[in-house]
Every structure is written in structure tokens, then in C-alpha cells.
């Protein structure tokens, strides 16, 4: 950047980098230096199949750029392996990648590679770009984001993503990638509004907007970072952590016990335990107790629910809601039962001090959910997040389908972006068609004194009715094809 400015003072070097949470250079340092971030995240590949890859990149950029420009490069050509650099990508796949760019707060950048002849032989991509950029131009003011209004922060843990090899029971290069997918999908399925937070940006002034901080197996944390998380909790914030979170320092040196043990009320009783046939189960203690703890809402007619593939054994804790039923063999069937069906080893440790609540899962629950898709694990995470946030949702979206949402404060007021992922190709291949969704009812908690003038849905390009009462704005988006934006203009 200094060299660029030697030639011309208003020149700058921009970082051309993708990789989202697994980016190599320290994103906190890059965010402080650069003026412009070029997110080279051109499309889905078979190594990273999930549809939300561009949105994930946008959340990471928002975590480190402090409002500076991030542009995402969307390839109009066919990405993947094998790839075709002179053939157009499926139109719906290209549109959803562009939509994720705008929804997540980045600037769309659409390109095609080839010589003059290659540029012109396959022209299908040109209509996609012409229509999309024409539409965004008509509504440009509503895409000028100021800040996210989410009340949940998910710690990126860039050091863990790059250096942590997974537990000794697994040692997989994809371990943290699968963990990231698991918590991301769980948050989308629960329709929670969330941001990413970089591990080097945990100062109180950055965390004060959040009700909950989630640490999905963020294994590497310095003593200072552990202190910052504890300070957040002392100020009334809640914390959810799992598995080996804080068992390593910033240099990947293993601690004898958790760095967050005092905050979470936990103590290690042994090293990581994997699965030998049947993974461990979590026993619901006193399942008929009334009232029961909110994290076990919806679990009826069972004493056991699935645990995770791997866990850290814990010393006994007071009044556990879930305890560990140790794993056992799957075959032969005659031996498929636990030698010890009831223990005092906690599967989750819950604490509450004032407004602050903490929850620690001893297993790698997020990754196991991603590997299995088990609904019990999803329900348990959703219940726990709702308990930790005291049921507070700044944006509540009710309706059918798998959607991703972003809610921004904008120049005219606010904007709620709705991305429709309801499709058999959401986690494999490319979208070939869109499965439209029906009505989505949205409630937003607004600051006091805000008066709403209008709500417009930008794809349909029309205003819709709304009600506003006691700082809560409510309206219904009648339908979503691939992407819709509810633009709220305030007085």
C-alpha cells in the first residue's frame, strides 16, 4: 500500500483473497490496513458444496472491515472441477451468488473469462448480469448498508481454522470446515440473525451489541481473549461453547484445563473420546420433571437423545440437565447396550448469573449435526440458543422453507434480505430451478422514536402494508422466488 501511494497519494493496494473463515493472512490486520477488499469467491465447487458460501464470505468481511468496501467476484462461467471457463454457469446459480453478495453487504462483481471469440460464443451469462445490475441500480440506496442489527455473534476462530488439526480421535483437515457448516446451517434453520466476530476483535465496545457469543469448538484462544470473553459475560452477555474450546493457547500449546473453565464452570476429566460403533448418548435427567429446563423442550417419550461423535469427559457438575451415557459397540447386536447406562458425567453444563447465561457442550455437537443431520441435535442447539438469548430476537421471520436472512440499517432506514435456499441442489451441484416460497411474516424490534413511512419489496417493486406498535414493526412478504428485499423507509 505504501509503494502504491508513492506513485499517487490516492492509490491503494487491495487484497484479492477468498477463503472466508479459512483465509490465510490475519483478517484483523488486513482489515485495519486496506481500503478495499476483493473477495475472490467466484462460485461453488465440489469441495465446498453448500449454497451459502458467498454469504459466509460476506459475513467474514463485515466482521473485519469496519464499513470499508468489499467486492465479491462472481464468475459468470462454470466454476468447479472439472470446469468450463468459457461456458455460462446455470442462470439460477449465478443469480443466487450475486444475491448473496448484495444481501451480505458486499458489492457485486460479475465477470467472464475468455478471448474475444470465447467472450461471444456463449452469451447466456450476459442477460443475467444485465438484469441484476439494472435492478440493483434502481434501488441503490437500499443496498448502502451501515450496520447489521443482529444480536448473536459467532466467533470465527481463524487460528483454529488454520492450525488446529482436530482432536486426536479424528485428525481431519476438514474438521473445522464441517464444524463451520454445522453451526451455520443450524443458525439458518432456526432463522437467527447473526454476525461473525473475529477472535482478535473481542474488545467490549465491539461485543456490546450482542446478547450471545457462540464459540463452535474455538480451540485456540489466548489468555487475553479468554479474559475478554469473561468480561463480555460479566457485562450481561451469554456464551455458548463446545468441545475443545479454549483447550489450546494462541500458539497451539495445549493447556492442562480449559482457559474458560471458570466462566463455564467446567473441568476436564480426561482426553477426547471418540466413537466405537455407537456414539455416546445424552440422558435427560428427570425427564418428567415439571417445569423442565427449556433446553429439553420438545423431547418427549424418551430418556436418551444423541450426543456427538467426540467428547471431552468432564468432572461432575451440580444438577446436570443432561448426563453422558458412554458409547458402546454396534455389533454384534447382542452387545449393543451400554455397560454403564447412568453416570454423573455432564453432557452439557449450564450456568446463570444475572442476565448472563452460559452453556458448554462437551461434544462436537455442531460438526456431528452437519455429518448426520440429526433433528435432535438441531432441536437441542435451537433450544439452547433461545434460552441463552432470553428468547430475544431482533428479527423474527415466520414461514416455510430454508432461507438465509440479513437485516441491515441502511441510508433510508432498514432492509431485510431474504435468500431462498429451498432446493434439492442446496448442498450439491448447482441450482437448476427455483422452488418459490409462500408468505413470510417478519417482526423487527426498532429503536424507540423510529417512525416507519413505508415498506417496499424490491423484487416485486411495490409497497406492502405494515403495522407498528410498541417498537415492533410487522409485515408479510407475500412470496419469495429466489431473493427478496423488504426495504423499510423511516421518517
Amino acid at each position: 500500500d505504501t509503494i502504491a501511494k508513492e506513485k499517487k497519494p490516492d492509490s491503494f493496494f487491495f487484497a484479492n483473497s477468498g477463503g472466508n473463515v479459512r483465509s490465510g493472512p490475519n483478517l484483523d490486520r488486513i482489515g485495519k490496513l486496506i481500503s478495499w477488499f476483493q473477495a475472490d469467491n467466484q462460485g461453488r465447487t465440489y469441495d465446498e458444496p453448500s449454497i451459502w458460501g458467498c454469504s459466509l464470505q460476506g459475513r467474514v468481511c463485515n466482521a473485519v472491515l469496519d464499513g470499508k468496501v468489499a467486492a465479491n467476484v462472481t464468475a459468470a462461467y462454470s466454476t468447479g472441477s472439472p470446469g468450463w471457463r468459457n461456458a455460462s454457469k446455470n442462470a439460477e446459480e449465478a443469480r443466487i451468488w450475486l444475491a448473496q453478495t448484495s444481501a451480505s453487504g458486499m458489492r457485486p462483481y460479475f465477470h467472464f473469462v475468455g478471448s474475444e471469440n470465447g467472450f461471444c460464443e456463449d452469451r447466456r451469462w450476459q442477460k443475467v448480469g444485465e438484469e441484476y445490475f439494472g435492478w440493483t441500480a434502481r434501488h441503490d440506496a437500499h443496498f448502502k448498508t451501515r450496520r447489521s442489527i443482529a444480536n448473536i455473534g459467532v466467533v470465527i476462530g481463524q487460528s483454529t481454522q488454520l492450525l488446529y488439526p482436530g482432536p486426536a480421535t479424528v485428525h481431519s483437515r476438514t474438521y473445522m470446515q464441517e464444524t463451520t457448516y454445522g453451526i451455520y446451517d443450524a443458525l439458518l434453520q432456526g432463522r437467527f440473525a447473526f454476525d461473525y466476530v473475529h477472535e482478535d476483535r473481542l474488545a467490549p465496545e465491539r461485543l456490546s451489541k450482542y446478547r450471545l457469543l457462540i464459540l463452535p469448538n474455538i480451540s485456540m484462544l489466548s489468555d487475553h481473549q479468554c479474559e475478554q470473553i469473561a468480561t463480555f459475560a460479566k457485562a450481561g452477555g451469554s456464551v455458548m461453547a463446545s468441545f475443545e474450546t479454549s483447550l489450546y493457547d494462541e500458539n497451539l500449546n495445549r493447556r492442562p484445563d480449559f482457559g474458560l473453565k471458570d466462566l463455564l464452570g467446567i473441568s476436564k476429566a480426561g482426553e477426547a473420546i471418540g466413537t466405537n460403533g455407537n456414539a455416546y448418548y445424552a440422558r435427560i435427567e428427570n425427564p418428567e420433571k415439571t417445569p423442565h429446563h427449556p433446553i429439553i423442550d420438545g423431547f418427549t417419550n424418551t430418556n436418551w437423545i444423541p450426543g456427538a461423535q467426540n467428547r471431552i469427559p468432564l468432572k461432575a457438575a451440580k444438577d446436570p440437565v443432561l448426563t453422558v451415557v458412554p458409547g458402546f459397540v454396534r455389533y454384534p447386536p447382542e452387545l449393543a447396550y451400554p455397560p454403564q447406562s447412568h453416570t454423573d458425567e455432564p453432557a452439557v453444563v449450564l450456568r446463570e448469573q444475572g442476565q448472563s447465561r452460559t452453556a458448554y457442550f462437551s461434544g462436537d455437537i455442531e460438526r456431528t449435526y452437519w455429518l448426520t443431520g440429526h433433528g435432535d441435535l438441531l432441536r437441542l442447539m435451537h433450544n439452547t440458543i433461545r434460552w441463552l438469548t432470553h428468547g430475544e430476537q431482533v428479527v423474527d421471520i415466520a414461514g416455510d422453507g430454508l432461507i438465509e436472512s440479513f437485516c441491515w440499517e441502511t441510508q433510508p432506514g432498514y432492509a431485510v434480505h431474504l435468500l431462498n435456499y429451498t432446493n434439492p441442489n442446496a448442498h450439491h451441484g448447482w441450482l437448476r430451478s427455483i422452488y418459490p416460497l409462500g408468505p413470510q411474516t417478519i417482526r423487527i424490534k426498532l429503536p424507540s422514536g423510529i417512525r416507519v413511512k413505508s415498506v417496499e419489496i424490491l423484487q416485486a417493486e411495490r409497497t406492502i402494508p405494515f403495522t407498528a406498535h410498541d417498537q415492533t414493526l410487522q409485515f408479510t412478504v407475500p412470496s419469495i422466488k429466489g431473493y427478496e428485499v423488504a426495504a423499510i423507509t423511516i421518517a
Side-chain angles (χ1 to χ4, degrees), residues 366-382:
E366 307 93 347
R367 176 177 175 270
T368 305
Y369 162 67
W370 178 253
L371 295 178
T372 65
H374 204 296
D376 284 356
L377 299 176
L378 184 64
R379 180 187 293 276
L380 183 59
M381 284 191 284
H382 286 176

Side-chain angles (χ1 to χ4, degrees), residues 88 119-127:
S88 295
F119 184 85
C120 297
E121 294 290 350
D122 186 343
R123 299 171 297 281
R124 292 172 291 179
W125 63 276
Q126 296 172 9
K127 183 180 179 183

